[in-house]
Amino acid sequence: MTDQPKEIKAVWERTRELGQGLDEVNNRLNTLEEQKLGERLQELSLVVKKLADKPEANAAPVWNWNTFTPQQQADAWDVLMQWVEGTFRARWPRSYKEMLGYADRHSSCWWQHPDMVESLTSLMWSHHWAFLDAEAGPLRVAEWLGRWLPDAVRQGKFIMEECRKKTDNGGAAHAGDLFANKALREDYGAVRQHIHMLRTGEVPS
C-alpha cells in the first residue's frame, strides 16, 4: 500500500478529531436529556410564578394592640379568646396550663399582662401559619410544635413568675402599679436626663 500524501493524512486526522468531538457533544446532549432540564425549568418557572402571584390574603395579619381603638381591641379579644379556648386549651391543655399559670392554681391574671397578650397573639398567628395557611404543610406543623409552642410556654411562665410568687406568699397580684414605685420613677428620671445630655452634647455618645 502506497503512502498517502501528507495533505490527505492531515484531512483524515482532522476528520477523526471532529468525529471524536461530535461524539463528545452527543454524549453531553444525552446527559442533559437524561436530567430532564426542560421539565425542571418548567417546574421552576411555575414555582416562581406562584410566588409572584401569591395573594396577600393568605398571610396572617400582624396585630398592633397599641394602635387599636377600644372597639378594635374588643373585636381582637373575641378572636383571641376563641382561639385560646377553642383551639389552644382543647388541643394542648398541658401547654395551656403551663403558659397561662393554671398548672398549680385555679385562677390566673394572665389577661392583665400586655406581654402575655402579645405572646398569645403571636402564638395564635404562628398556629394559623402552620395549620391553616394555604401553603401549610408537615414541616410547618413540626416547627410550630417543636419551636414556637415550647418557646411561648417558656415566655408565659417567665411573665407569670412574679405574680405566682406574690400569690404563693399570700399577696395579691396587681395590687399596685409597679411603675408607681418611687425608685423606679427616679431611674426613669435619670434615663431622661441622660438622653437630654446626649442631645445637648454634654455626654459623649
Side-chain angles (χ1 to χ4, degrees):
M1 183 175 179
T2 59
D3 293 337
Q4 297 293 335
K6 294 182 178 180
E7 292 79 3
I8 295 178
K9 287 185 177 180
V11 171
W12 284 352
E13 186 67 25
R14 181 58 178 164
T15 302
R16 186 174 65 84
E17 291 177 357
L18 291 174
Q20 291 176 345
L22 184 59
D23 289 340
E24 184 177 352
V25 170
N26 287 331
N27 291 334
R28 291 183 179 181
L29 288 175
N30 290 333
T31 301
L32 291 176
E33 289 178 357
E34 291 174 358
Q35 292 178 352
K36 298 180 179 180
L37 292 182
E39 295 180 8
R40 293 186 179 181
L41 288 174
Q42 186 177 6
E43 293 176 358
L44 180 60
S45 65
L46 292 175
V47 171
V48 172
K49 185 177 184 302
K50 186 177 181 181
L51 291 175
D53 297 340
K54 181 180 178 182
E56 295 182 0
N58 287 338
V62 176
W63 285 1
N64 186 347
W65 287 88
N66 286 330
T67 64
F68 286 173
T69 65
Q71 182 60 50
Q72 289 173 328
Q73 289 189 24
D75 293 340
W77 268 109
D78 283 339
V79 174
L80 181 62
M81 287 306 301
Q82 182 178 358
W83 180 83
V84 168
E85 293 299 310
T87 299
F88 187 30
R89 182 180 180 183
R91 301 299 299 170
W92 293 276
R94 180 63 183 178
S95 297
Y96 167 90
K97 292 177 181 179
E98 290 286 345
M99 181 176 182
L100 302 187
Y102 292 111
D104 50 5
R105 62 188 58 82
H106 298 296
S107 180
S108 174
C109 56
W110 67 264
W111 54 274
Q112 298 184 55
H113 294 263
D115 42 359
M116 178 68 84
V117 176
E118 295 285 359
S119 185
L120 269 175
T121 301
S122 175
L123 185 63
M124 177 182 68
W125 286 121
S126 64
H127 176 271
H128 179 285
W129 172 81
F131 287 86
L132 304 176
D133 184 77
E135 297 184 1
L139 291 180
R140 289 192 183 185
V141 173
E143 183 177 2
W144 192 84
L145 292 172
R147 181 178 181 183
W148 304 120
L149 177 60
D151 189 56
V153 172
R154 178 190 59 78
Q155 290 180 21
K157 293 172 70 174
F158 171 77
I159 292 168
M160 299 300 298
E161 182 178 6
E162 187 171 357
C163 287
R164 180 184 61 79
K165 289 180 179 179
K166 285 184 178 180
T167 54
D168 288 348
N169 293 329
H174 302 287
D177 183 4
L178 293 175
F179 289 91
N181 182 279
K182 180 179 179 181
L184 188 60
R185 289 200 306 269
E186 291 177 354
D187 288 343
Y188 273 85
V191 173
R192 293 190 183 95
Q193 178 63 24
H194 179 72
I195 295 172
H196 171 73
M197 295 176 71
L198 285 171
R199 285 182 176 143
T200 59
E202 298 178 56
V203 176
S205 59

